Amino acid sequence: MKPARILWLTSLALVSLVASAQTNLPAIKVTSPAYSSQHGGYLISGDFRVDPRMPSVVFPAQALMKDDILSIEPIHLQDNEYLVLQECASTDCHEASLVRFWKSDDIGGDDARRNRVWITHENKYFIWLKRLPEVSGASCGQGWLMFEPRTTKCGSHFTSFQQISPPLMLIPDGDLAAFHQDAVLKSIQADPVRVAQQTHEGSTYVVTYEGGSTVRIRRMHAEHEN
């Protein structure tokens, strides 16, 4: 895909930001499955990689197909980090759609479904890590005291984001984003976190980002008898 210059307009409650950015999403060569295993009628593959031209972005080396299951398991995320799965929302990928995101309090538990994404259509998907402002989350500023009825409790993480945005941008919205608008506007212009190390553990791809956050990724595709 040819590089594209992106003119983007970001709007938050009570705030507007207009800036120019350029994002390259280079084509990834599809190869035969590597780092694979078979289990329970599924071909499990850890064939993911980081393109050297985009040291923050993880791509599946083999294009994801309809009915694939993408397993994304964060092992460690810092409190201000958000792991993001996006897909292209336009033919030239100057817009992307948010598929799913994970934050530090999503890690752990016995429900593995939270880490599995059913792929409903073939497309270009990519995974990356973003740092946003740390927020106390005690309130969004309404009311003087925490127990007053006017006080709005917002939590300690952003939980709502714009669905469509330029690729490699995660734009919070809602009350918490509006209350921290200055810090949010600054952070969304910063680059994603760079990958520090990548390796394969059998059919699982393991990526470690600068700062130590680690994610395990697998692609599962149902095997059909001929």
Side-chain angles (χ1 to χ4, degrees), residues 12 17 39 55 70 73 106 111 178:
L12 295 171
L17 172 68
H39 180 75
L70 188 59
E73 182 183 1
D106 291 329
D111 189 357

Side-chain angles (χ1 to χ4, degrees), residues 181-215:
Q181 58 190 16
D182 292 338
V184 166
L185 291 174
K186 182 178 179 180
S187 69
I188 62 176
Q189 299 176 74
D191 292 334
V193 183
R194 294 171 66 98
V195 170
Q197 182 180 355
Q198 54 181 324
T199 187
H200 291 87
E201 296 178 359
S203 56
T204 300
Y205 175 80
V206 183
V207 57
T208 302
Y209 293 90
E210 291 181 350
S213 294
T214 304
V215 183

Side-chain angles (χ1 to χ4, degrees), residues 68-137:
D68 279 352
I69 297 174
L70 188 59
S71 173
I72 302 176
E73 182 183 1
I75 302 302
H76 170 72
L77 293 177
Q78 299 180 31
D79 285 343
N80 65 335
E81 291 180 337
Y82 298 77
L83 185 68
V84 181
L85 173 65
Q86 278 184 318
E87 64 172 322
C88 292
S90 59
T91 54
D92 59 359
C93 211
H94 77 278
E95 289 186 326
S97 178
L98 179 62
V99 179
R100 189 172 296 183
F101 67 91
W102 293 258
K103 52 192 187 300
S104 62
D105 56 4
D106 291 329
I107 296 175
D110 298 327
D111 189 357
R113 291 174 297 178
R114 75 176 69 192
N115 296 327
R116 294 183 178 179
V117 180
W118 178 36
I119 302 302
T120 60
H121 52 269
E122 184 173 348
N123 199 357
K124 179 178 284 187
Y125 296 84
F126 42 101
I127 302 162
W128 50 284
L129 186 68
K130 179 67 175 179
R131 289 185 182 138
L132 293 174
E134 291 192 41
V135 291
S136 65

